[in-house]
Amino acid sequence: MVKENLAKVEKNIIAACERAGRKPDDVTLIAVSKTKPVEMIEEAIEYGKKEFGENKAQEMKQKYETLPKDLKWHFIGHLQTNKVKYVVGRACLIHSVDSVHLAEAIEKESEKKNVISDILIEVNVAGEESKFGLKTDETEELIRNIAKFPHLRIKGLMTIAPYVENPEDNREIFRSLKELSVDIKSKNIDNVLMDILSMGMTGDYEVAIEEGATHVRVGTGIFGERDYSI
Ligand SMILES: *Cc1c(COP(=O)(O)O)cnc(C)c1O
């Protein structure tokens, strides 16, 4: 089932790229494997998938230790400073930095491990109260405050759009995140790249790609519904 789903999602990604006049190689599909067992991830690996997304620090660490070392792990969940140690040096990209405090903790741990950590800034474009992430108009200031950290590299922006029945309802949110990234890029802040836009999940990744997503995070569409009761 995992392999068939991956093939279907990849086909949809190619079609969305065609509609938008983009190259499929410019879009990375992150298979969000949170809560899913190693056996299912192994099926995806057999298919050829190498990039996975996890939202819990210890779960990511454990899967990282268990599975082959040539995989790439994206940390996509809210990160508490006391869990930073599990993620730094293991995640290829931390998608969810939304405070100076967290950035400082990642900087310290990266210095200790002698690595450079690639990060994204999480923006709560929709302004949903229940979600983490910065307000759009706070983003540039945070970026300026953490751009000077020598062990961090700010690669772009991430957003989690609301759950909607009709993916078109999120188009404006994806467009706003793209606009914000173009705006920040134009300021040429040292150490700030803005070439990654992580947006779009199972329900709306095609619209996100049409609006410029470089990384889509798809869980349910690949691994099926998650069961949080067990
Ligand atoms: C769980 C999760 C996803 C994947 O969601 P699906 O709707 O299952 O595709 C994507 N991004 C983040 C940040 C998540 O926590």
Side-chain angles (χ1 to χ4, degrees):
M1 182 195 78
V2 170
K3 290 175 194 167
E4 285 86 344
N5 289 344
L6 272 166
K8 200 164 83 187
V9 172
E10 283 182 351
K11 205 170 127 223
N12 293 340
I13 289 175
I14 291 168
C17 284
E18 266 166 21
R19 287 195 295 278
R22 301 184 59 203
K23 290 188 293 228
D25 282 354
D26 293 343
V27 177
T28 300
L29 170 62
I30 300 169
V32 176
S33 48
K34 64 189 189 198
T35 78
K36 297 295 178 181
V38 162
E39 292 72 29
M40 286 185 99
I41 301 175
E42 280 167 342
E43 269 188 71
I45 297 169
E46 271 175 39
Y47 177 85
K49 198 73 219 141
K50 292 203 181 294
E51 305 207 28
F52 296 92
E54 290 286 337
N55 71 338
K56 296 266 189 297
Q58 276 120 316
E59 184 177 344
M60 195 207 81
K61 175 179 183 280
Q62 206 183 357
K63 287 174 174 169
Y64 176 96
E65 309 292 353
T66 310
L67 286 155
K69 283 292 164 297
D70 66 335
L71 304 177
K72 284 187 174 173
W73 294 94
H74 292 259
F75 190 80
I76 62 174
H78 180 64
L79 185 55
Q80 288 164 299
T81 51
N82 61 340
K83 307 250 170 90
V84 160
K85 59 179 181 285
Y86 300 120
V87 172
V88 168
R90 294 190 179 89
C92 67
L93 184 62
I94 300 172
H95 290 231
S96 45
V97 176
D98 63 357
S99 71
V100 177
H101 181 61
L102 174 59
E104 252 165 9
I106 299 171
E107 165 65 23
K108 269 196 200 140
E109 185 68 20
S110 305
E111 184 179 19
K112 195 170 134 195
K113 290 189 171 138
N114 197 23
V115 295
I116 305 283
S117 290
D118 286 337
I119 63 166
L120 303 180
I121 306 302
E122 180 173 350
V123 188
N124 183 356
V125 182
E128 283 183 288
E129 299 230 341
S130 59
K131 297 253 169 78
F132 293 103
L134 295 161
K135 296 202 183 92
T136 303
D137 61 6
E138 300 167 338
T139 306
E140 184 180 336
E141 193 189 349
L142 176 74
I143 288 177
R144 288 190 184 277
N145 284 331
I146 65 180
K148 54 183 176 292
F149 289 142
H151 297 83
L152 298 187
R153 202 157 42 196
I154 304 170
K155 302 274 276 185
L157 305 177
M158 178 272 224
T159 198
I160 303 176
Y163 177 78
V164 288
E165 291 288 339
N166 180 0
E168 286 299 328
D169 294 347
N170 280 336
R171 187 177 293 277
E172 208 48 53
I173 287 170
F174 298 141
R175 196 168 287 175
S176 301
L177 193 72
K178 170 76 184 187
E179 271 170 24
L180 180 63
S181 97
V182 169
D183 180 45
I184 292 172
K185 197 180 174 102
S186 74
K187 315 235 157 139
N188 288 319
I189 306 166
D190 264 0
N191 195 27
V192 177
L193 288 146
M194 290 295 133
D195 45 15
I196 292 184
L197 266 188
S198 169
M199 57 189 194
M201 314 185 358
T202 295
D204 54 19
Y205 64 93
E206 292 156 283
V207 172
I209 290 169
E210 289 168 12
E211 296 303 327
T214 66
H215 289 60
V216 291
R217 312 177 305 263
V218 178
T220 312
I222 294 172
F223 296 108
E225 297 286 339
R226 287 175 292 274
D227 185 356
Y228 288 102
S229 67
I230 44 169

